[in-house]
């Protein structure tokens, strides 16, 4: 686990997605969770952060797609 310092900005290229879990032995193989996560680049790693733990905004001079 990593701690992201407060006040820092990180890039995400997609909207937050619902969390999922895969259970190969279950009748329903994929279970969708109730939380949403952003994928960010943190250092040289790809990381997931909960949507409720961050404040997302469009960077200055850029437009959302």
């Amino acid at each position: 686990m990593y701690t992201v310092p407060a006040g820092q900005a990180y890039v995400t290229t997609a909207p937050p997605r619902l969390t999922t879990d895969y259970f190969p032995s279950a009748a329903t193989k994929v279970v969708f969770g109730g939380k949403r996560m952003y994928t960010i680049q943190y250092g040289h790693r790809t990381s997931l952060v909960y949507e409720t733990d961050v404040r997302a905004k469009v960077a200055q001079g850029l437009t959302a797609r």
Side-chain angles (χ1 to χ4, degrees):
M1 292 287 259
Y2 295 93
T3 301
V4 177
Q8 291 192 1
Y10 298 90
V11 175
T12 184
T13 57
R17 305 279 185 198
L18 282 175
T19 57
T20 59
D21 284 307
Y22 180 72
F23 299 97
S25 61
T28 303
K29 303 269 187 231
V30 178
V31 177
F32 293 93
K35 294 184 176 185
R36 297 166 64 89
M37 299 185 90
Y38 284 103
T39 302
I40 64 167
Q41 283 297 128
Y42 183 63
H44 296 287
R45 294 173 172 83
T46 300
S47 301
L48 297 169
V49 292
Y50 287 113
E51 178 183 36
T52 55
D53 290 345
V54 298
R55 185 181 66 227
K57 63 181 184 176
V58 176
Q60 294 177 351
L62 300 177
T63 56
R65 292 181 189 225

